[in-house]
Amino acid sequence: MNKRIRQYVGLLSAVLAYYLVHEGAHFVYAMSIGVFQRVNFMGLGVQIAIESERMSNLQLGIFCLVGAVATTIAAYALTLTAPQICRARSKVFRACMYYITIAMLLIDPLYLSVLYGLFGGGDMNGIALLLPAQIARFFFGMLLVIHCLLFWKAVLPKYKQSFAENNPQ
């Protein structure tokens, strides 16, 4: 499989993994407190619909926060296991894990610090029930900086070396 196709497969796997982890965390929490309604498929996006009127502000805030917490935990797990992943023989697998790691590290911190205002607020609307939005935005901005550095210093060099080596597909 050529490099371009591996990249597309990697990007697609990253989108799917991100939704599975992020929205999966929302789903698990909604089910655990009995407010799950349905899964909404909206264009390229997925959303967990809930009965928010049955939730306290604390529950709604936690519901909105768990997606970002889940992707952050996944990002750290993928970063810690990058050396083992980079030893895999399959370049397709390594490409998928590379793009999934990037997605888990960067999407939520970027969205919750910079982009949320462009898309109606999303999870930040609920997180703002737990603490002021500006504090949450600052926290996620700092997390974005940390995750960019983590990617630049820890993840990228390992994968770069892995793909530079003449490993079979």
Side-chain angles (χ1 to χ4, degrees):
M1 184 177 299
N2 73 34
K3 181 179 177 180
R4 182 71 59 203
I5 293 174
R6 279 195 310 270
Q7 289 172 331
Y8 287 128
V9 170
L11 285 170
L12 179 61
S13 68
V15 170
L16 294 174
Y18 172 80
Y19 279 128
L20 183 67
V21 172
H22 182 96
E23 297 301 330
H26 289 314
F27 172 77
V28 168
Y29 183 73
M31 290 294 287
S32 74
I33 62 171
V35 296
F36 174 76
Q37 282 184 326
R38 68 186 165 280
V39 177
N40 293 328
F41 294 94
M42 309 166 347
L44 293 176
V46 177
Q47 180 185 53
I48 302 300
I50 55 169
E51 300 174 45
S52 58
E53 65 279 354
R54 293 183 45 216
M55 299 170 73
S56 69
N57 284 350
L58 177 63
Q59 288 173 319
L60 188 55
I62 291 169
F63 171 81
C64 291
L65 185 60
V66 295
V69 170
T71 58
T72 300
I73 291 168
Y76 293 149
L78 289 166
T79 299
L80 288 171
T81 58
Q84 291 80 17
I85 292 167
C86 288
R87 286 195 294 266
R89 292 180 53 88
S90 171
K91 283 186 176 182
V92 174
F93 175 74
R94 285 184 278 142
C96 290
M97 298 310 289
Y98 175 71
Y99 285 105
I100 290 169
T101 302
I102 292 171
M104 297 298 168
L105 280 169
L106 302 180
I107 291 175
D108 282 329
L110 177 63
Y111 176 77
L112 291 168
S113 65
V114 178
L115 300 176
Y116 74 90
L118 302 173
F119 301 99
D123 286 341
M124 183 57 82
N125 293 334
I127 294 169
L129 297 171
L130 300 174
L131 68 158
Q134 294 297 27
I135 292 173
R137 188 175 184 186
F138 176 78
F139 170 78
F140 284 106
M142 291 292 95
L143 195 61
L144 178 61
V145 170
I146 291 165
H147 286 187
C148 285
L149 290 171
L150 187 61
F151 172 75
W152 186 262
K153 296 292 185 178
V155 175
L156 182 60
K158 287 178 181 67
Y159 279 95
K160 201 176 215 182
Q161 179 184 1
S162 170
F163 284 108
E165 296 169 357
N166 193 9
N167 292 333
Q169 294 195 40

